[in-house]
Amino acid sequence: VSSIGEDPEQRLGAEASVGWCEPAIEDELPGLQIALSETRLPGRAVPSGPAPAAVRERLAALSNRFNGSKAINLRRESVPAAYRVFFRHIGLDPDVVRTPIEEAVLERMFDGAFLTRSLLADVLLIALLDTGVPVWALDADTLHGTPGIRMSRQGELGEQDEGGQLVIAAGDAAVWPLFTAPKAPHRPRNGSRRLLLYALQVNGVSWLAVEETLWICRSALEAVA
Amino acid sequence: MSRSEQLSVAPEPLANTVGAEAEAAARQALRRQIAKLERELSQLVAEGFPDIPATCSGAHRRHGPRLLGLAELERERDALVASLGEVSGLAAARAERHRRGRELLAAMQLEPARYKFVRLRAVDVGEAGCGVWRVQPRLGLIGMLAGWWRVTLSSGCPLAKGRVRARPSLHRPASSYGRHLSRPGAARLLSVPRSAHRGRPHRGEHAHERAPLALGHRSDRLLLGHRDLR
């Protein structure tokens, strides 16, 4: 585990590194970390384009692995359970605002399968299902500064926002709440070539699982040629 | 500031520090309690589903993720304790029902003639699957007249999928199939017609003609039918 600096080239080669976190949050929620890993997409890969056959097959294989029984027993497994506990700690009811893995598995129950959406969405979903650790992607070229975790300021998330929400921040303008998808300018587009993947580690989730989720995404995206 | 004034002022920040540390320690203790309660609750729900529903434990909170204060953590802990109490009650009732079911099954097996045509679902004795224990006469009418009764167990759930010809309404691309689950009558789409199970496949029935979705496992259907999950 290493802390990373502002240099994008430093991020590019690293397996996974840790972003910053406000000290007050670190003290209150020990174990919460943002793990980052940067990847460069091969020339033919389009993040919002259709997923290649290998990715779709992997998704189909995962669809067979996740049935109703698995969906219910998921909350007893160590990694999904850790995210449920963390949701309680940050004031979210995991039965109302579902953890990413439970949300994905419940969608599979309703859809009958993990439906393919796009290359990037499918790869992120595969990594989530394999490890239980949620991962998101950012367009690295649109970021000013390394993403980290801090508390929102008043009005930062909208007029109604009183501040104090836990958010991912990358520079002053880019802010979105923890466990939600990144906002529009930083969401990967078709032309995005450099992606910054980030995963959220919480207390009870091993660094190995976090590294694994980032590695799955990186290797799958880099393999698309 | 005189020396006496300094002495009277100095302990105040120290008290604040000690108070803040104590409060932080209390918050950590509450978080540990919440973690323990959440794990116990998850264990009970997973063991007891669908008798124990996977429902929301508290009021719908509209705010996003944030650092909780002492009072909020206490409320969270208390809500979990209440949920756990409720769920434990359901679990105890379920265990009691299983105990009675097992007693009845034992009695049925000992003296089948006393429990003629009694049916007992496997889930009522704490067993998985769709089997049903039944007291039936051996050799039909002859057994009934002769008093030859026995306990049988049905073979369980219907097959998840068969070599069936799908109805035209089931011919949908996989990507659009799930959309119909939210419509009224979607449950009917999930059930394969009874006639479809009969007989061998006809000529021309190929793999691509099978129903595109196989949701045969009981827990799948229970989960889909569970309104509290959405």
Side-chain angles (χ1 to χ4, degrees), chain A residues 36-78:
Chain A
L36 307 164
S37 182
E38 195 165 320
T39 184
R40 206 186 291 274
L41 284 176
R44 283 168 56 188
V46 180
S48 57
V55 172
R56 291 201 307 271
E57 279 165 20
R58 179 86 187 111
L59 215 51
L62 283 165
S63 295
N64 294 336
R65 248 176 56 191
F66 284 83
N67 55 22
S69 168
K70 174 92 175 166
I72 285 298
N73 282 300
L74 206 61
R75 61 185 66 206
R76 282 200 285 196
E77 291 177 15
S78 64

Side-chain angles (χ1 to χ4, degrees), chain A residues 27-29 67-69 75-76 84-85 88-91 93 95 98 106-107 109-110 112 164-166, chain B residues 27-28 31 35 38 43 46-47 55 57-58 61 64-67 76 181 213 219-220 223-224 229-230:
Chain A
D27 291 346
E28 283 294 306
L29 300 167
N67 55 22
S69 168
R75 61 185 66 206
R76 282 200 285 196
R84 279 185 75 87
V85 167
R88 297 250 182 233
H89 286 171
I90 58 173
D93 187 338
D95 292 322
R98 292 188 189 284
L106 197 67
E107 280 288 311
M109 292 295 110
F110 280 95
Q165 283 201 46
L166 292 168
Chain B
R27 284 197 299 272
Q28 290 303 342
R31 287 198 186 98
E38 166 57 38
Q43 187 75 17
E47 278 172 7
T55 50
S57 51
R61 284 155 286 191
R66 58 183 64 236
L67 290 181
E76 184 74 45
L181 292 177
L213 182 64
S219 53
D220 287 8
L223 196 69
L224 285 169
L229 283 165
R230 262 251 156 137

Side-chain angles (χ1 to χ4, degrees), chain A residues 1 15-16 206-216 218:
Chain A
V1 181
E15 282 284 300
S206 69
W207 178 253
L208 190 68
V210 177
E211 239 181 8
E212 180 76 6
T213 203
L214 293 170
W215 181 84
I216 290 170
R218 237 186 13 249

Side-chain angles (χ1 to χ4, degrees), chain A residues 37 39 47 120-121 124 135-140 143 176 181-183 186-188 194-199 217 221:
Chain A
S37 182
T39 184
L120 185 60
L124 298 179
V135 56
W136 295 268
L138 301 166
D139 186 343
L143 295 172
W176 57 94
K183 281 168 71 175
H186 307 290
R187 204 177 290 159
R194 283 195 316 129
L195 298 183
L196 182 63
L197 304 164
Y198 76 89
C217 290
L221 289 169

Side-chain angles (χ1 to χ4, degrees), chain B residues 26-72:
Chain B
R27 284 197 299 272
Q28 290 303 342
L30 279 167
R31 287 198 186 98
R32 280 194 296 276
Q33 288 174 15
I34 288 169
K36 188 170 177 287
L37 289 166
E38 166 57 38
R39 291 208 164 93
E40 283 176 21
L41 191 63
S42 291
Q43 187 75 17
L44 283 174
V45 169
E47 278 172 7
F49 188 85
D51 297 329
I52 298 170
T55 50
C56 336
S57 51
H60 288 225
R61 284 155 286 191
R62 292 188 184 278
H63 59 69
R66 58 183 64 236
L67 290 181
L68 301 186
L70 201 59
E72 287 168 311

Side-chain angles (χ1 to χ4, degrees), chain A residues 99 108 110 112 121 126 133 143 149 178 182 185 208 215:
Chain A
T99 58
R108 178 257 174 266
F110 280 95
I126 287 170
V133 179
L143 295 172
I149 304 167
L178 233 55
L208 190 68
W215 181 84

